[in-house]
Amino acid sequence: MSAKRPIDGLFSRRALIAAGGGTAVFGGLIARLFQLQIMEHERFEVAAAENGVRLDLAPPQRGRILDRFGRPLAAHRQAGRVSIVREQANDLPGLMAELSKHLDISPERQARLISDARRQASFQPVTVKSELSYEDFSRLSVLAPSLPGVQVEMASTRSYPRGRDFAHVLGYVAKASETDLERLSEDTNAQERAAIRRLFKHPDMRTGRSGVERYAEDWLRGEAGFRKLETNAAGRIIREFDDPSLAPKSGRDLYLTVDAELQKFAIDRFGSESGAAVVLDIETGDILAFVSTPAFDPNDFVNGISSKDYAVLRDDVEYSPLYHKAYDGTYPPGSTFKMVVAAAALEAGVINPNERVYCPGHYRFGNNTWHCWKKRGHGSVNMHWAIKGSCDVYFYEIAKRLGIESLADMGRRFGFGQRWDLGLHGGRSGVMPDDAWKRAARGEPWYEGETLNIGIGQGQVSTSPLQLAVMSARIAAEGKIITPRIIGDGPRPDADIPFDKPLDPEIMQRMKAGMYGVTSEAGGTALRSGDLGLGGPRLAGKTGTSQVRRISAAERATGILKGENIDRRLRDHALFVAYAPHDDPKYAISVVVEHGEGGSKAAAPVARDIIAEALRIDARRSPTYLRTASTGSSTGSGAR
Amino acid sequence: MATMRASSLDFSRRSLWTQLGALPWGLILMICAMAMIGVAILHSATFTNPEEAGLPMRQATRFGVALGVLLVAGLVPIRWWFWAAWPSYLATLVLLVAVEFFGTTGGGAQRWLQIGPVAVQPSEFMKVTLTLALAAYYHKRWSDFSGGFMIHLPALALIALPAALIFRQPDFGTTLALFASGGILIFLAGLWWRVIMAIGVAAIASVPAIYFFVLQDYQRERVDTYVAQLTGQSVNVMDDGYQIEQAKIAIGSGGWTGKGYMEGTQSQLDYIPEQHTDFILTVLAEEFGFLVTSGVLILWMVILGLGLAIALRAASLFARFAAAGAVATVTFYILFNVAMVLGLVPVVGVPLPLLSYGGTVMITTAGCFGLVCAAHLGRNEPLNTGA
């Protein structure tokens, strides 16, 4: 040790003084603890347990989702719930046995509930059954006072009165998972995050997982409030104070542009087939029906779907009920694409509409042969005949003259290759291929031969049923820019529409004439579907077949396999696009029947019947949300 | 440098195992016990919420890491700490300035600095590096000079510089912590009593000025709530007053022995916000009662007392000041947190070391006790500064 410095003694003295001071403060804190815990114990014990005025978090009522005429598509219903509270129960297994006399509870579930109740704090309720029938609810309500430990109460649950009809459009709500919570608390500070977590922990709180429910979460959710409750020593609620300043604020209602009746008709019309249909109001772009079938029942998800039931939906890859085929599904457009090719050719001036192309049933380019669907050939056809007879050779020829760039450019002006942001979660852009796309996606340049495939809507090009409906509407409106929408009154997405160059009305009139020919003139491919059964007006449309597999030369020689001779999964998709009435278009439609094989046989009759129904019920008449005075909310803020 | 050679010889002579064995194990075991109590309370505070199910395990893992930090820091020779004092202080200061310009905001304050994949909070480092800097300063000062009032002014500047930067973030709790532990060191260095008195009077006199001109709105609100509940006025149950009131009910209803593990009605029903972080003591008090809670506080006093004893036994002034400063930092946390939870001081976000959920304070605490351990191992080294 070095020599003694004055500081050594000073430091020690001061350290002891500081230690004394610290000890005094510690002593003071322990004294304060004694004051609170021992001297004022009774007061606080009373405050904690007896006659407590409690503020319980009250979740807001989620806004409804309505169709264009105010019919509820997503609403709520009251459902009875029975739970047990260990603290109040004298004999838990006995109570469970008693309850199982009135409710169907498996012995495994009983054991599970008992162990849950024992693991939790004694005063916390454990839900036994959340969807009580009216009979069960009333019977248990009568019994509850004689069964200490049993709680019967009403709770509000999301319900989808139209079941499967709007599964993909609405999506569904579910209890917020950890992933949901992270998404919901994006861009929030610590305090907001804590509030969101606390709110979504509430047993009645749900969040949108897909569709409009997810997209419009902020619009629909509302704001949480509190219930001011007076409770007795056992925690039972004695009365509820009415305090409007604490009440939760319900979420806002949201109107869609769809017509629930037309939607139901369309789904029923599909029967057991899988497919998609989109009906548009040509004047406004309102989506009147947005069908993807088969579907699931969103009601099954609200209280959590069992993993077994979910697996059934998820693993059905052939009919894929979870998949929104009209928005997320993409298909080669087949011959429905021929109007795009023809329009591009006319605008580029590579062909005169009266020029004839000879179709011998096949087309040679380089060392390869391309086939027309009509083995014997169409003979010599001009553009009008080529459209109504769907001559492949004619379109090979003009596609070759056009080149892929002009073709793709026209496709994009019809809305292909871009995602329509409707305000639904999901939506695919499909592919409108060109040289740049192929270099980016495949790392290879575009080959001219591929242009021929695109000319008949096969190969790399892929489109969603929504895009096909928009194409059909833009033709029917003679080139007017039509933008689809499904949110009528609610948080609308920003309309961000690229490639909005209007189309030449004169060219569009020629396309319409061709589509009329398809359903109504000799040589048309869908003659049987032109009559709407309404007397005067007819349907104009175009058939299409979307190839699912490649046909080998050997198979072509022996005859292409069809129908019963081939596995369903390998059959072609049937497509049809149309508008009606032909002389004064009001509705545009696209229909895809998966593995339906022929557009004229499988898809066209479906499209005809749906559009006839739309005309019959006047689905496009002015929606409720425009008629009511309270449309001020339509200018409200959009959702994120 | 002669000392350099001596030190490396020194290090090779005593094996790592010998060093490890010479650590103050009684102290370390008590720290471990305290952390285990923390994990157990955390389990009770969080188990009703399945989303918080992983927190106790995560806290235990963090303590494992913190224990590693403590042991490594403790085995670092005291002269290395001495050499590192100034560079580390300056480096932390640079980081604090960097926060001012490039910091990221979290919870309303700009505290974090993103360096590659890790986010660091330089204000936390400062608690340790300021102690080191002050210790190094007084070590040098008292070796060639014998006191006087003026020697404390540079020390005050050493505290005020980082404190001002941290106050701007704003982080009131850490600012207070720096002034409190730094002030203790100035006190230990022999600041004259008459100056201490003068400062005390000035501090009391400046309270109104601080309230009106220095505090931000939300901080002022907390002080208002605090005064209101102290004087027994009814406070708005929806605001901060709610938290204090519910905390008092939880603590008060605990009684002598508490309501039993995981049976606290207040704690389990989520009455108390932040009950697994800053307000963890309410869970302990409600479920285990007065006897256990005061026992935990006494265990803390023993841990801190052992730390102070190490400071008093060290030969070099640096080791003495460094260990005392480290103990002072942890002491401040505990006293302030407990006083806050008991409704004696305004609610300022100060966690309870080793008991509150959170990684930052855990590591700071481990660093502080690591420094104490280093002072223990190096207690016989004089650390002459080349005089």
Side-chain angles (χ1 to χ4, degrees), chain A residues 196-273:
Chain A
I196 287 172
R197 284 192 165 261
R198 203 157 38 218
L199 174 60
F200 280 100
K201 262 160 56 181
H202 193 281
D204 292 345
M205 200 61 196
R206 298 286 186 277
T207 185
R209 275 280 173 73
S210 60
V212 180
E213 290 275 30
R214 172 159 172 181
Y215 178 85
E217 173 73 29
D218 292 352
W219 176 283
L220 295 167
R221 189 195 301 157
E223 277 172 45
F226 289 92
R227 291 167 71 200
K228 204 169 174 186
L229 303 167
E230 188 177 332
T231 56
N232 68 7
R236 194 173 286 273
I237 295 158
I238 297 170
R239 69 192 170 106
E240 183 166 352
F241 296 95
D242 184 30
D243 188 344
S245 69
L246 293 178
K249 282 200 200 77
S250 295
R252 281 176 283 183
D253 286 350
L254 185 154
Y255 283 88
L256 296 180
T257 61
V258 293
D259 178 344
E261 292 305 313
L262 183 63
Q263 177 93 355
K264 181 175 161 37
F265 177 88
I267 287 172
D268 291 346
R269 182 60 185 83
F270 268 89
S272 60
E273 299 281 2

Side-chain angles (χ1 to χ4, degrees), chain A residues 7-136:
Chain A
I7 180 63
D8 289 318
L10 181 64
F11 181 91
S12 302
R13 265 197 318 280
R14 286 284 175 100
L16 290 177
I17 292 170
T23 310
V25 179
F26 261 107
L29 292 177
I30 291 175
R32 166 73 169 172
L33 199 60
F34 185 82
Q35 182 205 350
L36 289 177
Q37 294 206 278
I38 308 303
M39 287 158 65
E40 297 185 33
H41 172 61
E42 274 178 37
R43 176 162 86 83
F44 287 121
E45 193 172 37
V46 167
E50 243 171 55
N51 264 1
V53 172
R54 212 169 75 192
L55 286 179
D56 272 12
L57 191 70
Q61 179 109 292
R62 200 174 170 84
R64 295 177 304 164
I65 302 174
L66 310 162
D67 86 343
R68 67 192 283 113
F69 303 124
R71 303 182 187 111
L73 309 179
H76 6 74
R77 94 195 119 78
Q78 297 289 312
R81 178 166 64 194
V82 59
S83 37
I84 47 171
V85 183
R86 172 159 62 99
E87 195 176 58
Q88 294 159 18
N90 308 318
D91 163 29
L92 216 46
L95 188 66
M96 200 45 93
E98 186 64 32
L99 268 180
S100 61
K101 281 186 203 159
H102 306 283
L103 292 169
D104 179 30
I105 317 169
S106 69
E108 299 87 59
R109 179 146 171 80
Q110 286 182 40
R112 176 85 204 274
L113 288 167
I114 291 173
S115 81
D116 278 357
R118 287 194 172 134
R119 230 165 347 119
Q120 289 219 33
S122 58
F123 48 82
Q124 287 219 322
V126 173
T127 305
V128 176
K129 197 162 187 239
S130 54
E131 291 279 317
L132 291 179
S133 67
Y134 180 73
E135 292 75 30
D136 285 344

Side-chain angles (χ1 to χ4, degrees), chain B residues 42 56 67 74 93 104 118 124 134 141 156 179-180 184 187 196 219 227 236 247 286 295 324 344 376 387:
Chain B
L42 197 59
L67 190 61
L93 210 55
T104 52
V118 274
E124 280 304 315
L134 287 170
R141 248 7 200 154
L156 188 62
F179 271 114
I184 290 287
F187 173 76
I196 296 170
Q219 292 166 329
V227 174
N236 186 351
E286 187 188 12
L344 294 171
H376 178 75

Side-chain angles (χ1 to χ4, degrees), chain A residues 1-2 5-19 22-23 25-38 40-45 47-49 53-56 86-87 119-124 176-178 181 189-191 194 197-198 200-201 226 231 246, chain B residues 47-49 51 107-108 142-143 146 184 186-193 196 237-238 242 245 248-249 251-256 259 262-266 268-271 273 285-286 289-290 293-294 297-298 300-301 304 308 311-312 315 317 320-321 324 331 334-335 338-339 342-344:
Chain A
M1 282 270 266
S2 54
R5 295 155 295 187
I7 180 63
D8 289 318
L10 181 64
F11 181 91
S12 302
R13 265 197 318 280
R14 286 284 175 100
L16 290 177
I17 292 170
T23 310
V25 179
F26 261 107
L29 292 177
I30 291 175
R32 166 73 169 172
L33 199 60
F34 185 82
Q35 182 205 350
L36 289 177
Q37 294 206 278
I38 308 303
E40 297 185 33
H41 172 61
E42 274 178 37
R43 176 162 86 83
F44 287 121
E45 193 172 37
V53 172
R54 212 169 75 192
L55 286 179
D56 272 12
R86 172 159 62 99
E87 195 176 58
R119 230 165 347 119
Q120 289 219 33
S122 58
F123 48 82
Q124 287 219 322
S177 67
E178 200 54 37
L181 285 171
N189 63 32
Q191 225 166 352
R197 284 192 165 261
R198 203 157 38 218
F200 280 100
K201 262 160 56 181
F226 289 92
T231 56
L246 293 178
Chain B
F47 87 108
T48 46
N49 183 349
E51 281 151 19
W142 277 101
S143 313
S146 51
I184 290 287
I186 295 182
F187 173 76
L188 295 179
L191 185 65
W192 294 338
W193 281 110
I196 296 170
V237 289
M238 302 289 293
Y242 173 77
E245 194 53 37
K248 275 160 83 175
I249 292 174
I251 295 165
S253 61
W256 282 104
K259 297 174 187 169
M262 309 206 288
E263 289 290 335
T265 47
Q266 291 285 111
Q268 302 300 342
L269 286 177
D270 281 351
Y271 278 102
E286 187 188 12
F290 173 74
T293 311
S294 51
L297 292 182
I298 289 168
W300 260 126
M301 287 170 73
L304 297 169
L308 192 64
L312 286 170
L317 272 181
R320 296 182 136 214
F321 273 100
T331 309
I334 298 162
L335 293 181
V338 176
L342 295 180
L344 294 171

Side-chain angles (χ1 to χ4, degrees), chain A residues 252-335:
Chain A
R252 281 176 283 183
D253 286 350
L254 185 154
Y255 283 88
L256 296 180
T257 61
V258 293
D259 178 344
E261 292 305 313
L262 183 63
Q263 177 93 355
K264 181 175 161 37
F265 177 88
I267 287 172
D268 291 346
R269 182 60 185 83
F270 268 89
S272 60
E273 299 281 2
S274 72
V278 182
V279 181
L280 286 177
D281 176 348
I282 284 172
E283 199 181 321
T284 57
D286 281 358
I287 295 178
L288 299 168
F290 208 21
V291 171
S292 174
T293 182
F296 56 91
D297 188 345
N299 288 304
D300 294 343
F301 286 79
V302 175
N303 286 311
I305 187 167
S306 75
S307 48
K308 205 179 95 206
D309 292 346
Y310 185 73
V312 169
L313 293 172
R314 186 195 55 209
D315 298 340
D316 184 357
V317 287
E318 196 175 338
Y319 289 87
S320 40
L322 290 176
Y323 198 53
H324 192 180
K325 299 181 184 81
Y327 195 35
D328 294 336
T330 56
Y331 307 83
S335 301

Side-chain angles (χ1 to χ4, degrees), chain A residues 455-475:
Chain A
I456 61 161
Q458 307 290 353
Q460 323 269 24
V461 59
S462 74
T463 59
S464 71
L466 174 64
Q467 289 171 337
L468 290 173
V470 171
M471 174 194 77
S472 171
R474 287 187 171 189
I475 293 171

